[in-house]
Amino acid sequence: MSAESNACAPQLPGAVQVQVVQAQPVQAQMVGQPVQVVYQPAPGYTGPPMPIQIDQQGAQQAWILYGIGCFLCWCCGPCGPCFWYAVACMYFCKPYEQRKNLHQQRNAAICSLVTAMISTMLLIAVIIAYVVVFTNALSSADDELLEFESFV
């Protein structure tokens, strides 16, 4: 209670002053929960697409090309990485000023580039393994042929 309200109230000898506290409702806050912010153009907006829309459309196209690359990689072998490199090139060939606002396209481009690089390295390793196995097989066949000719 404030000093002004105490001054107006009658004081009884031996009385104990009690302050009344009222509970206030508290809003519960969720800590660590993601908040989705949706940017929408104003009603009736007919201008050029908003940057967030451009990013979403580009990312959608990039992920579709990534999926096509995966399908072709499983069905047609080394054709898939061509699509993955194309997705990365489409993003990284843009000017820096554009790229810094295209976060969703960046994710698709990096994923495509890493996948393409890994698959290319695996393809090179498989080719080297086949060459080594084939040359070993030829050299052992030549040795057997020489032994056979010297025997005859």
Side-chain angles (χ1 to χ4, degrees):
M1 295 181 81
S2 67
E4 294 174 2
S5 63
N6 285 342
C8 297
Q11 295 291 327
L12 297 175
V16 178
Q17 290 185 342
V18 177
Q19 291 184 349
V20 178
V21 178
Q22 291 184 340
Q24 299 291 325
V26 176
Q27 289 282 346
Q29 290 183 339
M30 299 297 269
V31 177
Q33 294 295 321
V35 177
Q36 183 177 6
V37 178
V38 179
Y39 297 99
Q40 301 226 352
Y45 177 78
T46 57
M50 304 295 277
I52 193 88
Q53 292 171 334
I54 293 171
D55 188 25
Q56 288 175 346
Q57 290 171 353
Q60 184 179 15
Q61 291 173 351
W63 285 116
I64 288 172
L65 287 175
Y66 181 82
I68 291 171
C70 289
F71 176 76
L72 288 176
C73 189
W74 288 110
C75 296
C76 303
C79 296
C82 296
F83 281 85
W84 297 331
Y85 283 120
V87 169
C89 286
M90 285 174 16
Y91 174 77
F92 288 110
C93 289
K94 292 180 181 177
Y96 174 74
E97 291 77 27
Q98 273 186 319
R99 283 187 284 143
K100 69 180 180 182
N101 294 322
L102 302 173
H103 303 291
Q104 294 178 9
Q105 286 185 35
R106 180 180 185 276
N107 294 338
I110 289 176
C111 182
S112 294
L113 184 61
V114 168
T115 305
M117 290 172 64
I118 289 172
S119 66
T120 302
M121 287 188 272
L122 286 174
L123 179 64
I124 290 171
V126 166
I127 289 173
I128 291 172
Y130 278 134
V131 167
V132 167
V133 168
F134 185 70
T135 55
N136 286 340
L138 282 179
S139 66
S140 66
D142 287 342
D143 291 342
E144 289 177 11
L145 183 63
L146 290 174
E147 287 178 18
F148 179 73
E149 287 178 355
S150 65
F151 182 69
V152 175

